[in-house]
Amino acid sequence: MRIAWIVSAQHLETTSAGLYSSIASYRYRMIIPAKELKRRGHRVIAVGASPAAGGYEYAAQQLRDADVVVFGKMAEWDLQARLVDAARQAGIGVVVDVCDDYFTDDPAGASYRSVVESGEAVTVSSSVLAARVAETTGRHATVIVDPYEGAPGAPKWAPGARIEAAWFGHQSNLVGLDRSLDSLAASGIPMRLVVVTRAMPEVLDWHRRTRAEVAPAIELDFLEWSLEATARALADCNVVMLPVDRAQSFFLSKGANRVVESFRAGRFVLAHPLPAYEEFGRWAWLGEDIAAGLDWAVKNSSGIVGRIAQAQAYIAAKFSPQRVAEAWDAVLTEVQARRASRIG
């Protein structure tokens, strides 16, 4: 099968190791699955679309020989809509992949819904997004989870006199962490908390201000995000804390990739109960008060390593790149079959 994956050109780069993006959804929803689909014998190309002069013509030309086109995350929705129309007019199967809840009532949301409605198939990263697609467009969406990407680590729980904790993610998620810091500082449990995210001015300002506010109970450190920095923070910590601002519906649709990466690295997880996190409730601590979860973990240390190991086995079975590529293969093969029946 000839597959073209279309995303925004501004977030793609070619390195000595191959295609790369600093955008997590590009890696989870295109780069990693595409690599595995190639191993399964498919021809896959990644197309970076740009609104600059000639950008539409270039992208339209690239997708012309495809059997199926997957439209991934793009901010240029008008350009995306034009390319969807071009693919449909050429008789190419169209899959629209949704990994964020942009189903708003403003004109941009209407454009987004229109693109989703144009696809022969819709894929999503979580069951909440599948429900949102059905609610706003009437379309069925297939859930394909994000694959893991980090290196595996041995299960570890050895907190000692001071907890070594980590938080990582998009800077927009810092609101949830910020709201948990007072209770963590008041818990009486000494800790060092490493925050890994973008080094944006507002983030650095937050770190300087908050570091003084929570000292000396919490030693709040900061690492500028990179895959390497995230791996280092996970390797050095005892526990990963993932509080989320659940008042914002946008965050409720997110997948479980941060929980998956944390357990895969061999670290215990304390998190707010997002829908995508619920399936890890047998192994992670899920609750409203992260400080209470940390206290529970310290008092129940004997079972933590076993929980991590069980979560890792579950993740290996469900979230491997190979297993995720199988799910993509099934959707794309079905769309290709529909295209072939139209041509025939």
Side-chain angles (χ1 to χ4, degrees):
M1 189 189 327
R2 297 167 299 180
I3 305 163
W5 231 293
I6 296 187
V7 292
S8 295
Q10 63 176 321
H11 299 305
L12 286 180
E13 59 182 287
T14 301
T15 71
S16 59
L19 199 61
Y20 170 77
S21 176
S22 62
I23 305 298
S25 56
Y26 280 33
R27 301 192 306 275
Y28 292 133
R29 309 299 298 175
M30 183 186 75
I31 294 173
I32 296 173
K35 184 181 297 185
E36 293 301 324
L37 286 167
K38 287 180 181 179
R39 289 174 178 164
R40 295 172 70 87
H42 300 294
R43 193 201 76 174
V44 188
I45 62 170
V47 180
S50 168
Y56 166 78
E57 290 76 13
Y58 167 78
Q61 177 66 37
Q62 292 297 304
L63 64 82
R64 193 161 296 169
D65 293 331
D67 299 310
V68 181
V69 177
V70 183
F71 286 88
K73 184 175 182 176
M74 290 181 63
E76 306 87 359
W77 293 336
D78 289 342
L79 173 62
Q80 188 180 50
R82 291 179 65 197
L83 290 169
V84 168
D85 288 342
R88 290 172 61 85
Q89 290 172 18
I92 301 168
V94 172
V95 177
V96 179
D97 184 47
V98 177
C99 60
D100 285 306
D101 186 354
Y102 292 132
F103 297 101
T104 56
D105 293 329
D106 57 26
S111 297
Y112 192 63
R113 290 194 299 274
S114 176
V115 167
V116 172
E117 290 166 354
S118 298
E120 289 184 61
V122 182
T123 54
V124 294
S125 56
S126 73
S127 58
V128 171
L129 275 175
R132 286 289 284 154
V133 168
E135 173 191 349
T136 57
T137 70
R139 298 294 307 279
H140 167 76
T142 300
V143 178
I144 301 180
V145 298
D146 294 340
Y148 60 68
E149 68 174 337
K156 182 184 81 170
W157 176 253
R162 182 178 76 166
I163 296 289
E164 297 289 334
W167 179 97
F168 66 99
H170 191 273
Q171 61 272 12
S172 61
N173 284 297
L174 275 174
V175 175
L177 176 63
D178 190 66
R179 291 176 179 174
S180 296
L181 287 177
D182 285 345
S183 61
L184 285 167
S187 69
I189 302 176
M191 76 180 70
R192 174 175 175 260
L193 173 59
V194 177
V195 172
V196 186
T197 192
R198 303 284 181 194
M200 303 178 71
E202 59 268 32
V203 171
L204 298 177
D205 287 344
W206 171 86
H207 175 245
R208 284 191 290 267
R209 182 182 67 255
T210 307
R211 181 181 179 122
E213 292 173 353
V214 299
I218 300 174
E219 181 184 341
L220 188 65
D221 286 345
F222 176 82
L223 284 177
E224 182 173 3
W225 181 88
S226 68
L227 291 177
E228 295 75 18
T230 303
R232 186 162 68 250
L234 290 173
D236 292 344
C237 75
N238 305 122
V239 64
V240 179
M241 299 177 177
L242 299 175
V244 177
D245 180 11
R246 297 196 301 137
Q248 300 295 322
S249 60
F250 180 83
F251 297 123
L252 299 181
S253 65
K254 289 297 188 178
N257 59 286
R258 291 195 294 165
V259 172
V260 168
E261 296 298 345
S262 300
F263 272 128
R264 181 164 165 77
R267 302 304 176 257
F268 190 57
V269 176
L270 310 173
H272 284 161
L274 286 185
Y277 294 176
E278 295 290 351
E279 65 181 300
F280 294 94
R282 288 169 285 177
W283 311 297
W285 185 94
L286 302 180
E288 301 296 335
D289 186 348
I290 298 296
L294 182 58
D295 181 68
W296 179 91
V298 170
K299 292 177 178 176
N300 292 272
S301 290
S302 61
I304 298 297
V305 168
R307 281 175 171 252
I308 297 170
Q310 290 168 13
Q312 287 184 324
Y314 179 76
I315 288 165
K318 181 176 178 179
F319 294 87
S320 72
Q322 297 79 16
R323 185 66 180 269
V324 170
E326 288 177 13
W328 277 109
D329 203 343
V331 170
L332 299 176
T333 298
E334 182 179 351
V335 171
Q336 183 196 30
R338 291 182 204 159
R339 173 183 181 271
S341 66
R342 289 197 305 269
I343 296 173

Short mmCIF file of all heavy atoms in Angstrom, two decimals, residues 105-169:
data_model
loop_
_atom_site.label_atom_id
_atom_site.label_comp_id
_atom_site.label_asym_id
_atom_site.label_seq_id
_atom_site.Cartn_x
_atom_site.Cartn_y
_atom_site.Cartn_z
N ASP A 105 -16.99 26.10 19.04
CA ASP A 105 -18.10 26.71 18.32
C ASP A 105 -17.68 27.89 17.45
O ASP A 105 -18.52 28.53 16.81
CB ASP A 105 -19.17 27.19 19.32
CG ASP A 105 -19.84 26.02 20.04
OD1 ASP A 105 -19.95 24.94 19.41
OD2 ASP A 105 -20.21 26.18 21.22
N ASP A 106 -16.38 28.21 17.45
CA ASP A 106 -15.93 29.34 16.65
C ASP A 106 -15.66 28.89 15.20
O ASP A 106 -15.74 27.71 14.89
CB ASP A 106 -14.69 29.98 17.28
CG ASP A 106 -13.55 28.98 17.46
OD1 ASP A 106 -13.51 27.98 16.70
OD2 ASP A 106 -12.72 29.17 18.35
N PRO A 107 -15.37 29.84 14.30
CA PRO A 107 -15.13 29.46 12.90
C PRO A 107 -14.02 28.43 12.71
O PRO A 107 -14.11 27.56 11.84
CB PRO A 107 -14.79 30.79 12.24
CG PRO A 107 -15.51 31.81 13.06
CD PRO A 107 -15.43 31.29 14.47
N ALA A 108 -12.97 28.53 13.53
CA ALA A 108 -11.88 27.55 13.42
C ALA A 108 -12.39 26.15 13.74
O ALA A 108 -12.04 25.17 13.08
CB ALA A 108 -10.73 27.93 14.35
N GLY A 109 -13.23 26.05 14.77
CA GLY A 109 -13.80 24.76 15.12
C GLY A 109 -14.68 24.21 14.01
O GLY A 109 -14.69 23.00 13.75
N ALA A 110 -15.40 25.08 13.34
CA ALA A 110 -16.24 24.65 12.22
C ALA A 110 -15.38 24.11 11.08
O ALA A 110 -15.74 23.09 10.45
CB ALA A 110 -17.09 25.82 11.73
N SER A 111 -14.24 24.75 10.82
CA SER A 111 -13.32 24.26 9.79
C SER A 111 -12.78 22.89 10.17
O SER A 111 -12.66 22.00 9.32
CB SER A 111 -12.17 25.25 9.60
OG SER A 111 -12.63 26.49 9.13
N TYR A 112 -12.45 22.74 11.45
CA TYR A 112 -11.92 21.47 11.93
C TYR A 112 -12.95 20.35 11.77
O TYR A 112 -12.64 19.26 11.28
CB TYR A 112 -11.54 21.63 13.40
CG TYR A 112 -10.71 20.51 13.98
CD1 TYR A 112 -9.45 20.23 13.49
CD2 TYR A 112 -11.19 19.75 15.04
CE1 TYR A 112 -8.68 19.21 14.03
CE2 TYR A 112 -10.43 18.73 15.60
CZ TYR A 112 -9.18 18.47 15.08
OH TYR A 112 -8.42 17.47 15.62
N ARG A 113 -14.19 20.64 12.15
CA ARG A 113 -15.26 19.64 12.01
C ARG A 113 -15.46 19.27 10.54
O ARG A 113 -15.69 18.11 10.20
CB ARG A 113 -16.56 20.16 12.62
CG ARG A 113 -16.54 20.26 14.13
CD ARG A 113 -17.94 20.46 14.69
NE ARG A 113 -18.57 21.68 14.20
CZ ARG A 113 -18.41 22.87 14.78
NH1 ARG A 113 -17.62 23.00 15.84
NH2 ARG A 113 -19.03 23.93 14.30
N SER A 114 -15.37 20.27 9.67
CA SER A 114 -15.57 20.01 8.25
C SER A 114 -14.52 19.05 7.70
O SER A 114 -14.83 18.15 6.92
CB SER A 114 -15.53 21.33 7.48
OG SER A 114 -15.63 21.12 6.10
N VAL A 115 -13.27 19.23 8.13
CA VAL A 115 -12.21 18.32 7.70
C VAL A 115 -12.48 16.91 8.21
O VAL A 115 -12.36 15.92 7.46
CB VAL A 115 -10.84 18.82 8.20
CG1 VAL A 115 -9.77 17.74 8.03
CG2 VAL A 115 -10.43 20.07 7.44
N VAL A 116 -12.87 16.78 9.47
CA VAL A 116 -13.15 15.47 10.05
C VAL A 116 -14.29 14.79 9.29
O VAL A 116 -14.26 13.59 8.99
CB VAL A 116 -13.48 15.59 11.55
CG1 VAL A 116 -13.98 14.27 12.11
CG2 VAL A 116 -12.25 16.07 12.32
N GLU A 117 -15.32 15.56 8.97
CA GLU A 117 -16.47 15.00 8.26
C GLU A 117 -16.12 14.55 6.85
O GLU A 117 -16.81 13.71 6.26
CB GLU A 117 -17.59 16.05 8.21
CG GLU A 117 -18.23 16.32 9.56
CD GLU A 117 -19.08 17.57 9.58
OE1 GLU A 117 -19.08 18.30 8.56
OE2 GLU A 117 -19.73 17.85 10.61
N SER A 118 -15.02 15.07 6.29
CA SER A 118 -14.64 14.75 4.92
C SER A 118 -13.89 13.43 4.80
O SER A 118 -13.74 12.91 3.69
CB SER A 118 -13.77 15.88 4.34
OG SER A 118 -14.47 17.10 4.30
N GLY A 119 -13.40 12.91 5.90
CA GLY A 119 -12.60 11.70 5.84
C GLY A 119 -13.45 10.45 5.63
O GLY A 119 -14.56 10.35 6.13
N GLU A 120 -12.88 9.49 4.90
CA GLU A 120 -13.56 8.19 4.79
C GLU A 120 -13.46 7.42 6.10
O GLU A 120 -14.32 6.60 6.41
CB GLU A 120 -12.93 7.38 3.67
CG GLU A 120 -13.24 7.91 2.29
CD GLU A 120 -12.68 7.00 1.23
OE1 GLU A 120 -13.07 5.82 1.17
OE2 GLU A 120 -11.84 7.48 0.45
N ALA A 121 -12.40 7.70 6.85
CA ALA A 121 -12.23 7.10 8.17
C ALA A 121 -11.65 8.15 9.10
O ALA A 121 -10.93 9.04 8.66
CB ALA A 121 -11.32 5.87 8.10
N VAL A 122 -11.98 8.03 10.37
CA VAL A 122 -11.48 8.95 11.38
C VAL A 122 -10.79 8.11 12.45
O VAL A 122 -11.35 7.12 12.94
CB VAL A 122 -12.60 9.79 12.01
CG1 VAL A 122 -12.03 10.76 13.04
CG2 VAL A 122 -13.39 10.53 10.95
N THR A 123 -9.59 8.50 12.81
CA THR A 123 -8.87 7.85 13.91
C THR A 123 -8.64 8.87 15.01
O THR A 123 -8.50 10.06 14.76
CB THR A 123 -7.51 7.30 13.43
OG1 THR A 123 -6.77 8.35 12.79
CG2 THR A 123 -7.72 6.16 12.45
N VAL A 124 -8.60 8.39 16.25
CA VAL A 124 -8.42 9.26 17.41
C VAL A 124 -7.49 8.58 18.39
O VAL A 124 -7.27 7.37 18.35
CB VAL A 124 -9.76 9.58 18.11
CG1 VAL A 124 -10.67 10.41 17.21
CG2 VAL A 124 -10.48 8.30 18.53
N SER A 125 -6.97 9.39 19.33
CA SER A 125 -5.99 8.87 20.29
C SER A 125 -6.61 8.46 21.62
O SER A 125 -5.92 7.90 22.46
CB SER A 125 -4.90 9.92 20.54
OG SER A 125 -5.48 11.14 20.99
N SER A 126 -7.90 8.74 21.82
CA SER A 126 -8.53 8.37 23.09
C SER A 126 -10.02 8.15 22.90
O SER A 126 -10.62 8.64 21.94
CB SER A 126 -8.31 9.48 24.14
OG SER A 126 -9.11 10.62 23.85
N SER A 127 -10.62 7.44 23.84
CA SER A 127 -12.06 7.17 23.77
C SER A 127 -12.87 8.45 23.96
O SER A 127 -13.98 8.58 23.42
CB SER A 127 -12.46 6.13 24.82
OG SER A 127 -12.12 6.57 26.12
N VAL A 128 -12.35 9.40 24.73
CA VAL A 128 -13.04 10.67 24.91
C VAL A 128 -13.12 11.41 23.58
O VAL A 128 -14.17 11.98 23.23
CB VAL A 128 -12.33 11.54 25.97
CG1 VAL A 128 -12.93 12.95 26.00
CG2 VAL A 128 -12.47 10.90 27.35
N LEU A 129 -12.04 11.40 22.81
CA LEU A 129 -12.07 12.04 21.50
C LEU A 129 -13.02 11.32 20.55
O LEU A 129 -13.70 11.96 19.73
CB LEU A 129 -10.67 12.08 20.90
CG LEU A 129 -9.79 13.25 21.33
CD1 LEU A 129 -8.39 13.10 20.76
CD2 LEU A 129 -10.40 14.58 20.91
N ALA A 130 -13.10 10.00 20.65
CA ALA A 130 -14.06 9.26 19.82
C ALA A 130 -15.48 9.72 20.12
O ALA A 130 -16.30 9.90 19.20
CB ALA A 130 -13.91 7.76 20.07
N ALA A 131 -15.77 9.92 21.41
CA ALA A 131 -17.09 10.39 21.79
C ALA A 131 -17.34 11.81 21.29
O ALA A 131 -18.45 12.15 20.85
CB ALA A 131 -17.25 10.33 23.31
N ARG A 132 -16.31 12.66 21.33
CA ARG A 132 -16.44 14.03 20.85
C ARG A 132 -16.67 14.06 19.34
O ARG A 132 -17.45 14.86 18.82
CB ARG A 132 -15.19 14.83 21.21
CG ARG A 132 -15.09 15.19 22.67
CD ARG A 132 -16.11 16.24 23.05
NE ARG A 132 -15.71 17.57 22.58
CZ ARG A 132 -16.56 18.56 22.31
NH1 ARG A 132 -17.87 18.35 22.44
NH2 ARG A 132 -16.11 19.73 21.90
N VAL A 133 -15.99 13.19 18.61
CA VAL A 133 -16.19 13.11 17.16
C VAL A 133 -17.63 12.71 16.86
O VAL A 133 -18.30 13.31 16.00
CB VAL A 133 -15.20 12.12 16.53
CG1 VAL A 133 -15.59 11.81 15.09
CG2 VAL A 133 -13.78 12.67 16.57
N ALA A 134 -18.11 11.70 17.58
CA ALA A 134 -19.50 11.26 17.37
C ALA A 134 -20.50 12.35 17.72
O ALA A 134 -21.48 12.57 17.01
CB ALA A 134 -19.76 10.01 18.20
N GLU A 135 -20.24 13.05 18.81
CA GLU A 135 -21.14 14.10 19.29
C GLU A 135 -21.21 15.28 18.33
O GLU A 135 -22.29 15.85 18.11
CB GLU A 135 -20.67 14.57 20.67
CG GLU A 135 -21.39 15.77 21.24
CD GLU A 135 -20.71 16.33 22.48
OE1 GLU A 135 -19.80 15.67 23.02
OE2 GLU A 135 -21.08 17.44 22.89
N THR A 136 -20.08 15.67 17.78
CA THR A 136 -20.03 16.91 17.00
C THR A 136 -20.16 16.70 15.50
O THR A 136 -20.51 17.63 14.77
CB THR A 136 -18.72 17.68 17.28
OG1 THR A 136 -17.61 16.83 16.98
CG2 THR A 136 -18.65 18.11 18.74
N THR A 137 -19.85 15.51 15.02
CA THR A 137 -19.90 15.27 13.58
C THR A 137 -20.78 14.09 13.19
O THR A 137 -21.06 13.91 12.00
CB THR A 137 -18.48 15.00 13.01
OG1 THR A 137 -18.01 13.72 13.46
CG2 THR A 137 -17.50 16.09 13.44
N GLY A 138 -21.16 13.27 14.16
CA GLY A 138 -21.93 12.08 13.85
C GLY A 138 -21.12 10.95 13.26
O GLY A 138 -21.67 9.93 12.85
N ARG A 139 -19.80 11.09 13.24
CA ARG A 139 -18.93 10.09 12.64
C ARG A 139 -18.44 9.10 13.68
O ARG A 139 -18.20 9.44 14.83
CB ARG A 139 -17.71 10.76 11.98
CG ARG A 139 -18.01 11.72 10.84
CD ARG A 139 -18.60 10.98 9.66
NE ARG A 139 -17.77 9.86 9.24
CZ ARG A 139 -16.68 9.97 8.47
NH1 ARG A 139 -16.31 11.16 8.02
NH2 ARG A 139 -15.99 8.90 8.13
N HIS A 140 -18.23 7.86 13.24
CA HIS A 140 -17.55 6.87 14.07
C HIS A 140 -16.04 7.09 13.96
O HIS A 140 -15.53 7.38 12.87
CB HIS A 140 -17.88 5.46 13.61
CG HIS A 140 -16.98 4.41 14.20
ND1 HIS A 140 -17.09 3.98 15.50
CD2 HIS A 140 -15.92 3.74 13.65
CE1 HIS A 140 -16.16 3.09 15.74
NE2 HIS A 140 -15.43 2.91 14.64
N ALA A 141 -15.34 6.97 15.06
CA ALA A 141 -13.88 7.11 15.06
C ALA A 141 -13.26 5.88 15.70
O ALA A 141 -13.75 5.36 16.70
CB ALA A 141 -13.46 8.36 15.81
N THR A 142 -12.18 5.42 15.12
CA THR A 142 -11.43 4.28 15.64
C THR A 142 -10.33 4.77 16.57
O THR A 142 -9.53 5.62 16.19
CB THR A 142 -10.80 3.47 14.49
OG1 THR A 142 -11.82 3.00 13.62
CG2 THR A 142 -10.01 2.28 15.04
N VAL A 143 -10.29 4.22 17.77
CA VAL A 143 -9.25 4.61 18.73
C VAL A 143 -7.97 3.84 18.43
O VAL A 143 -7.97 2.60 18.41
CB VAL A 143 -9.69 4.34 20.18
CG1 VAL A 143 -8.56 4.70 21.16
CG2 VAL A 143 -10.95 5.12 20.52
N ILE A 144 -6.90 4.56 18.16
CA ILE A 144 -5.57 3.98 18.02
C ILE A 144 -4.69 4.68 19.04
O ILE A 144 -4.46 5.88 18.95
CB ILE A 144 -4.99 4.16 16.61
CG1 ILE A 144 -5.90 3.51 15.56
CG2 ILE A 144 -3.58 3.57 16.53
CD1 ILE A 144 -5.40 3.65 14.13
N VAL A 145 -4.20 3.94 20.02
CA VAL A 145 -3.44 4.56 21.11
C VAL A 145 -2.08 5.01 20.62
O VAL A 145 -1.59 4.57 19.57
CB VAL A 145 -3.27 3.57 22.29
CG1 VAL A 145 -4.62 3.19 22.88
CG2 VAL A 145 -2.49 2.33 21.87
N ASP A 146 -1.47 5.91 21.38
CA ASP A 146 -0.10 6.35 21.09
C ASP A 146 0.88 5.26 21.50
O ASP A 146 0.75 4.68 22.59
CB ASP A 146 0.24 7.62 21.88
CG ASP A 146 -0.58 8.82 21.46
OD1 ASP A 146 -1.12 8.80 20.33
OD2 ASP A 146 -0.69 9.76 22.25
N PRO A 147 1.87 4.96 20.68
CA PRO A 147 2.88 3.97 21.07
C PRO A 147 3.87 4.56 22.06
O PRO A 147 4.03 5.78 22.15
CB PRO A 147 3.57 3.65 19.75
CG PRO A 147 3.48 4.94 18.99
CD PRO A 147 2.14 5.54 19.35
N TYR A 148 4.54 3.68 22.79
CA TYR A 148 5.63 4.19 23.62
C TYR A 148 6.81 4.54 22.73
O TYR A 148 6.93 4.06 21.60
CB TYR A 148 6.03 3.19 24.71
CG TYR A 148 6.51 1.84 24.23
CD1 TYR A 148 7.70 1.68 23.55
CD2 TYR A 148 5.78 0.67 24.51
CE1 TYR A 148 8.15 0.43 23.13
CE2 TYR A 148 6.22 -0.58 24.10
CZ TYR A 148 7.41 -0.69 23.42
OH TYR A 148 7.85 -1.92 23.01
N GLU A 149 7.70 5.39 23.24
CA GLU A 149 8.90 5.71 22.46
C GLU A 149 10.17 5.67 23.31
O GLU A 149 11.27 5.60 22.77
CB GLU A 149 8.78 7.08 21.80
CG GLU A 149 8.76 8.27 22.72
CD GLU A 149 8.78 9.61 21.99
OE1 GLU A 149 9.23 9.68 20.82
OE2 GLU A 149 8.30 10.60 22.58
N GLY A 150 10.06 5.76 24.61
CA GLY A 150 11.25 5.79 25.46
C GLY A 150 11.86 4.42 25.68
O GLY A 150 11.23 3.39 25.46
N ALA A 151 13.09 4.43 26.15
CA ALA A 151 13.79 3.17 26.45
C ALA A 151 13.22 2.57 27.73
O ALA A 151 12.81 3.29 28.65
CB ALA A 151 15.28 3.43 26.62
N PRO A 152 13.17 1.24 27.82
CA PRO A 152 12.65 0.61 29.04
C PRO A 152 13.63 0.77 30.20
O PRO A 152 14.85 0.87 30.00
CB PRO A 152 12.50 -0.85 28.63
CG PRO A 152 13.53 -1.05 27.56
CD PRO A 152 13.59 0.25 26.82
N GLY A 153 13.09 0.79 31.40
CA GLY A 153 13.91 0.85 32.60
C GLY A 153 13.44 -0.20 33.59
O GLY A 153 12.27 -0.61 33.59
N ALA A 154 14.34 -0.66 34.43
CA ALA A 154 13.97 -1.65 35.45
C ALA A 154 13.08 -0.99 36.50
O ALA A 154 13.30 0.16 36.88
CB ALA A 154 15.23 -2.22 36.11
N PRO A 155 12.05 -1.69 36.98
CA PRO A 155 11.20 -1.12 38.04
C PRO A 155 12.03 -0.75 39.25
O PRO A 155 12.87 -1.52 39.71
CB PRO A 155 10.23 -2.27 38.35
CG PRO A 155 10.19 -3.09 37.10
CD PRO A 155 11.57 -3.01 36.54
N LYS A 156 11.80 0.46 39.76
CA LYS A 156 12.58 0.94 40.90
C LYS A 156 11.67 1.72 41.84
O LYS A 156 10.87 2.54 41.42
CB LYS A 156 13.73 1.85 40.43
CG LYS A 156 14.63 2.36 41.57
CD LYS A 156 15.69 3.33 41.06
CE LYS A 156 15.15 4.73 40.88
NZ LYS A 156 16.22 5.74 40.61
N TRP A 157 11.85 1.44 43.13
CA TRP A 157 11.20 2.25 44.16
C TRP A 157 12.10 2.25 45.37
O TRP A 157 12.13 1.29 46.15
CB TRP A 157 9.81 1.72 44.50
CG TRP A 157 9.15 2.47 45.63
CD1 TRP A 157 8.96 2.01 46.90
CD2 TRP A 157 8.63 3.79 45.59
NE1 TRP A 157 8.34 2.95 47.66
CE2 TRP A 157 8.11 4.06 46.88
CE3 TRP A 157 8.53 4.77 44.62
CZ2 TRP A 157 7.54 5.29 47.21
CZ3 TRP A 157 7.94 5.98 44.93
CH2 TRP A 157 7.45 6.22 46.22
N ALA A 158 12.89 3.29 45.52
CA ALA A 158 13.83 3.39 46.63
C ALA A 158 13.89 4.84 47.07
O ALA A 158 14.88 5.54 46.83
CB ALA A 158 15.21 2.88 46.22
N PRO A 159 12.82 5.35 47.70
CA PRO A 159 12.72 6.78 47.96
C PRO A 159 13.74 7.36 48.93
O PRO A 159 14.14 8.52 48.79
CB PRO A 159 11.30 6.94 48.50
CG PRO A 159 10.92 5.58 49.00
CD PRO A 159 11.62 4.61 48.12
N GLY A 160 14.18 6.60 49.91
CA GLY A 160 15.16 7.12 50.86
C GLY A 160 14.60 8.26 51.70
O GLY A 160 13.39 8.44 51.85
N ALA A 161 15.50 9.09 52.23
CA ALA A 161 15.09 10.19 53.12
C ALA A 161 14.44 11.32 52.34
O ALA A 161 13.66 12.10 52.89
CB ALA A 161 16.30 10.71 53.89
N ARG A 162 14.77 11.43 51.06
CA ARG A 162 14.18 12.47 50.23
C ARG A 162 13.62 11.85 48.96
O ARG A 162 14.28 11.05 48.29
CB ARG A 162 15.23 13.53 49.86
CG ARG A 162 14.68 14.68 49.04
CD ARG A 162 15.73 15.73 48.73
NE ARG A 162 16.64 15.29 47.67
CZ ARG A 162 17.47 16.09 47.01
NH1 ARG A 162 17.53 17.37 47.31
NH2 ARG A 162 18.28 15.63 46.08
N ILE A 163 12.39 12.20 48.62
CA ILE A 163 11.78 11.72 47.39
C ILE A 163 12.36 12.46 46.20
O ILE A 163 12.45 13.68 46.19
CB ILE A 163 10.24 11.94 47.42
CG1 ILE A 163 9.59 11.11 48.53
CG2 ILE A 163 9.63 11.64 46.06
CD1 ILE A 163 9.57 9.63 48.27
N GLU A 164 12.76 11.71 45.21
CA GLU A 164 13.18 12.29 43.93
C GLU A 164 12.00 12.14 42.97
O GLU A 164 11.65 11.03 42.56
CB GLU A 164 14.41 11.57 43.38
CG GLU A 164 15.64 11.69 44.26
CD GLU A 164 16.23 13.10 44.23
OE1 GLU A 164 16.02 13.82 43.22
OE2 GLU A 164 16.90 13.49 45.21
N ALA A 165 11.35 13.25 42.66
CA ALA A 165 10.14 13.23 41.84
C ALA A 165 10.38 13.94 40.52
O ALA A 165 11.28 14.77 40.39
CB ALA A 165 8.98 13.88 42.58
N ALA A 166 9.54 13.61 39.53
CA ALA A 166 9.64 14.25 38.22
C ALA A 166 8.26 14.57 37.69
O ALA A 166 7.27 13.89 37.98
CB ALA A 166 10.39 13.36 37.23
N TRP A 167 8.20 15.63 36.92
CA TRP A 167 7.01 16.00 36.15
C TRP A 167 7.50 16.39 34.76
O TRP A 167 8.49 17.10 34.62
CB TRP A 167 6.30 17.19 36.79
CG TRP A 167 5.08 17.65 36.03
CD1 TRP A 167 3.79 17.32 36.29
CD2 TRP A 167 5.03 18.53 34.88
NE1 TRP A 167 2.93 17.92 35.39
CE2 TRP A 167 3.68 18.68 34.50
CE3 TRP A 167 6.01 19.20 34.14
CZ2 TRP A 167 3.27 19.46 33.42
CZ3 TRP A 167 5.61 19.98 33.05
CH2 TRP A 167 4.26 20.11 32.71
N PHE A 168 6.80 15.93 33.72
CA PHE A 168 7.18 16.33 32.36
C PHE A 168 5.91 16.48 31.52
O PHE A 168 4.88 15.87 31.80
CB PHE A 168 8.13 15.32 31.72
CG PHE A 168 7.52 13.96 31.46
CD1 PHE A 168 7.05 13.61 30.19
CD2 PHE A 168 7.42 13.02 32.47
CE1 PHE A 168 6.48 12.37 29.95
CE2 PHE A 168 6.86 11.76 32.24
CZ PHE A 168 6.40 11.43 30.98
N GLY A 169 6.01 17.34 30.52
CA GLY A 169 4.86 17.52 29.65
C GLY A 169 4.83 18.90 29.01
O GLY A 169 5.75 19.70 29.17
#
